[in-house]
Amino acid sequence: MSQFIPFRAAHPRGVAMSAGAPIPPRPPYPTPPYANIPPPPRAGNSGLRVVLIVVGVFVALGILAACVIGFVGYRVAKSAHHNSDGSVSFATPNGTVTTGKSLNLTTAELGTDPYPGAAASAGSMNMKTATGSVITAIYTTSDPAGNVVAFYKEKLGDQASVVQSSRGTTFTSGERDKDQLTISITPHGDLTRIAIVHVTQNK
């Protein structure tokens, strides 16, 4: 009679396991190499960042320009002087500027005579610098433009060049780099507007 030998299942790895023995835990799976690669940056975020930087630069430049304009305006207002005739004078790095429609301008400063009976208007200016002066005088009259043109044709004579157009008449006389006179005569509603610009240079 043969002897009975009990059967024992062999562990797959060749280690004998008894019945009821705990199953060993499985080893952890290795982390794949691509798991730690950071995601690529989004194009939209970089574009937005550039836009914000550009906007910030423009805002900074705007604030700087406002500060400069405010500072210059403050300096001009501080140097302004109100004259007894109603005009205002202020000093600049290049000279003195006087503005106002009630400027007391002489014939020598104008370079010619003002039209008889014409009233001074806003926009007149007297700027004097170390190298010369720029005089701008604005007048209005109720006389027709033709009368004013005839007056200055007689005053300036043949030495003046005359340009006529649908907008009005312009006289120019003198030397451009030394002593130049320009007179513009234009209709202005029911009035005639006369603009005299006299530029002189010492050098």
Side-chain angles (χ1 to χ4, degrees), residues 112 149-162 171-173 181 183:
T112 186
V149 171
F151 173 81
Y152 282 108
K153 272 187 177 180
E154 182 180 354
K155 281 289 179 183
L156 300 178
D158 297 334
Q159 62 178 346
S161 63
V162 184
F171 293 90
T172 304
S173 66
L181 176 67
I183 303 174

Side-chain angles (χ1 to χ4, degrees), residues 14-189:
V15 180
M17 296 181 62
S18 60
I23 301 175
R26 294 182 179 180
Y29 289 100
T31 304
Y34 56 82
N36 297 325
I37 299 177
R42 296 183 179 180
N45 292 340
S46 60
L48 179 61
R49 188 179 300 109
V50 172
V51 172
L52 292 176
I53 292 174
V54 172
V55 171
V57 170
F58 276 104
V59 170
L61 292 177
I63 294 174
L64 180 60
C67 292
V68 172
I69 294 173
F71 176 75
V72 173
Y74 169 76
R75 291 291 299 272
V76 171
K78 188 177 180 180
S79 64
H81 175 71
H82 295 269
N83 304 316
S84 59
D85 60 358
S87 61
V88 178
S89 300
F90 53 91
T92 69
N94 296 325
T96 303
V97 178
T98 303
T99 62
K101 70 177 184 179
S102 59
L103 290 179
N104 295 320
L105 298 173
T106 64
T107 300
E109 290 174 325
L110 287 174
T112 186
D113 292 326
Y115 184 78
S121 184
S124 299
M125 180 192 69
N126 183 356
M127 182 174 67
K128 295 182 179 180
T129 67
T131 59
S133 63
V134 178
I135 308 295
T136 302
I138 308 297
Y139 298 95
T140 56
T141 179
S142 57
D143 290 353
N147 292 6
V148 181
V149 171
F151 173 81
Y152 282 108
K153 272 187 177 180
E154 182 180 354
K155 281 289 179 183
L156 300 178
D158 297 334
Q159 62 178 346
S161 63
V162 184
V163 177
Q164 292 182 313
S165 66
S166 58
R167 296 183 178 181
T169 303
T170 301
F171 293 90
T172 304
S173 66
E175 298 182 34
R176 180 175 182 180
D177 296 333
K178 292 184 178 180
D179 190 332
Q180 186 175 34
L181 176 67
T182 303
I183 303 174
S184 299
I185 304 165
T186 56
H188 189 69

